[in-house]
Amino acid sequence: MKKLFLVALLCSVLAVTMTSCGNNGNSAGSSDGDVIKWKLQNSYGPGDQTWDIQMPMLVEAIEEATDGKLQIEVYQPGAICEPEQAPASVSKGMFECAMSTAGDTGVIVPAAYAEQGIPYYWENQMEMYETYYEFGLLDYLRDQYDKENIYYGMPVPNGKYAMMTSFPIKSVDSVKGKKIRAVSSWAYFVKNLGGTPVSSITGGEIYQAIKLGTVDGCIFTFAELKGSGLCEVVDYVTAQPPSGSGYVNFIVNKDAWEALPEEMQEDINKAMEKVYPEITEKCIEADEDAEKFAKDSGVKILKLNDKTLKAFQDAGLATAKQVADENPEAAKGLDIVKEWYKSKK
């Protein structure tokens, strides 16, 4: 009897373990009758607008589009896996979806390095929208992510990107020798300005890294001056962002996506495209609020002179070439960005 009890206990433990690991690496989501349940891990936690603004709006849009037949349970970064492991975990079906970054997804999908475009090409989130939805960047990325068993749901707009530092940027020489937290293609950008990019620091670690002097600044979304309290540790913010917006991406395990009825997939895609400008509007409001808050807190908002701005633009073009040379898949995506730019400029 004792042996039978131990065998039964072991089987029970194994069953729980397999369930918690995402259906043995082939997740299509759990179900409760007609309701499908997905787990979503965000790469940024409370206080960051990705958690506070974008994620709730996206989740609500998807659940409303499916009449509640698809429900998404959200998890903070690290709750299921480390943020940088999220793309691979989604690919393997450990959980159904994530809000990740090009810096992390680029490890397994090189084309991701084109997601944030070319520094100084996009000036706002809706220009980015045009490139994705009207010029084909979204379709191209979906094809590339598909190779890694991931469905690329959408680029999720964020607030404007800005260089936030403990030192004033009066010329391109100001950046030389400085350590700047930057990820993905922006790491190249910092290096081309003569700085030292630091990519190992997560979004949630930026505050402490600047406070402790681990880095001298960061390229991050403007609203985090208030939301994440960065105005407490930085003294200067450049007015011109190196891109129209910082981006996160919404990615889904391909098996989980394909397990959905085709009509539901169509409804979700329509909902994601519709919610993009709605999220953008909220991001702009957050940026404006953060800028006022930062000024009131003593942060100085700087504007680059023409000579320095030109040097930054040259660094952006050099960045695009380096990314393209090292990642042929990203090169094709960047060509789409250039096509959009030629049509508008």
Side-chain angles (χ1 to χ4, degrees):
M1 290 295 293
K2 184 176 182 180
K3 289 183 178 179
L4 289 173
F5 173 76
L6 290 173
V7 170
L9 179 61
L10 178 60
C11 290
S12 176
V13 171
L14 286 172
V16 171
T17 302
M18 290 174 67
T19 299
S20 64
C21 287
N23 295 326
N24 234 3
N26 187 25
S27 175
S30 61
S31 63
D32 182 10
D34 293 333
V35 176
I36 301 170
K37 296 182 179 180
W38 282 1
K39 294 178 181 178
L40 181 158
Q41 180 175 287
N42 200 328
S43 288
Y44 299 93
D48 186 284
Q49 63 174 268
T50 305
W51 178 277
D52 296 340
I53 299 176
Q54 289 96 323
M55 183 180 66
M57 294 183 70
L58 175 59
V59 169
E60 182 180 6
I62 291 174
E63 292 185 344
E64 285 186 357
T66 61
D67 293 325
K69 293 179 181 179
L70 174 60
Q71 296 181 0
I72 300 176
E73 185 176 3
V74 300
Y75 292 82
Q76 293 188 31
I80 305 177
C81 68
E82 292 303 313
E84 63 270 19
Q85 298 170 348
S89 296
V90 168
S91 173
K92 295 174 183 177
M94 302 303 291
F95 50 97
E96 290 75 37
C97 53
M99 292 183 72
S100 188
T101 67
D104 290 336
T105 55
V107 175
I108 61 174
V109 184
Y113 292 116
E115 287 181 38
Q116 291 186 324
I118 302 172
Y120 292 97
Y121 266 49
W122 290 322
E123 295 181 9
N124 56 62
Q125 296 94 329
M126 293 312 296
E127 289 188 345
M128 301 168 93
Y129 171 91
E130 290 177 1
T131 310
Y132 271 83
Y133 284 93
E134 298 175 15
F135 279 75
L137 184 55
L138 178 60
D139 291 336
Y140 178 71
L141 289 171
R142 283 179 174 168
D143 287 342
Q144 293 298 307
Y145 274 82
D146 183 80
K147 298 175 183 178
E148 296 300 328
N149 202 45
I150 295 175
Y151 181 74
Y152 186 93
M154 68 175 292
V156 184
N158 214 314
K160 64 182 180 182
Y161 247 17
M163 187 172 286
M164 309 173 187
T165 59
S166 58
F167 59 93
I169 298 177
K170 298 180 180 180
S171 70
V172 70
D173 291 337
S174 301
V175 184
K176 291 182 178 179
K178 301 296 185 181
K179 294 175 291 185
I180 307 294
R181 187 269 185 183
V183 298
S184 187
S185 55
W186 306 118
Y188 293 93
F189 178 69
V190 169
K191 192 171 184 179
N192 287 327
L193 291 174
T196 300
V198 179
S199 303
S200 58
I201 297 170
T202 67
E205 296 170 337
I206 292 177
Y207 181 100
Q208 280 296 111
I210 297 177
K211 182 177 182 179
L212 296 175
T214 306
V215 294
D216 302 298
C218 65
I219 297 178
F220 208 42
T221 46
F222 211 88
E224 305 322 319
L225 285 165
K226 180 178 181 181
S228 297
L230 293 184
C231 65
E232 299 173 8
V233 292
V234 301
D235 300 309
Y236 303 93
V237 176
T238 55
Q240 299 98 327
S243 178
S245 165
Y247 256 144
V248 294
N249 50 44
F250 175 61
I251 55 176
V252 182
N253 172 264
K254 182 181 175 182
D255 299 318
W257 177 257
E258 292 186 342
L260 300 177
E262 186 174 339
E263 183 178 353
M264 184 180 289
Q265 293 176 2
E266 294 175 358
D267 289 340
I268 292 172
N269 279 329
K270 290 178 182 178
M272 288 190 292
E273 183 173 0
K274 181 182 178 182
V275 81
Y276 184 109
E278 296 171 2
I279 292 175
T280 293
E281 184 177 347
K282 291 294 182 181
C283 290
I284 292 173
E285 292 177 3
D287 284 345
E288 293 174 347
D289 181 52
E291 181 171 358
K292 182 179 184 304
F293 184 82
K295 288 179 178 178
D296 292 343
S297 300
V299 175
K300 295 179 176 62
I301 310 297
L302 304 178
K303 184 175 181 179
L304 302 177
N305 59 45
D306 291 342
K307 181 180 179 180
T308 304
L309 179 59
K310 177 63 166 57
F312 272 49
Q313 291 172 330
D314 290 343
L317 290 175
T319 294
K321 185 178 185 306
Q322 289 170 325
V323 171
D325 288 344
E326 294 185 19
N327 306 277
E329 299 89 345
K332 295 178 181 179
L334 291 170
D335 284 343
I336 295 174
V337 179
K338 292 175 183 177
E339 288 175 12
W340 168 84
Y341 187 79
K342 289 178 181 179
S343 75
K344 295 294 180 182
K345 305 299 180 180

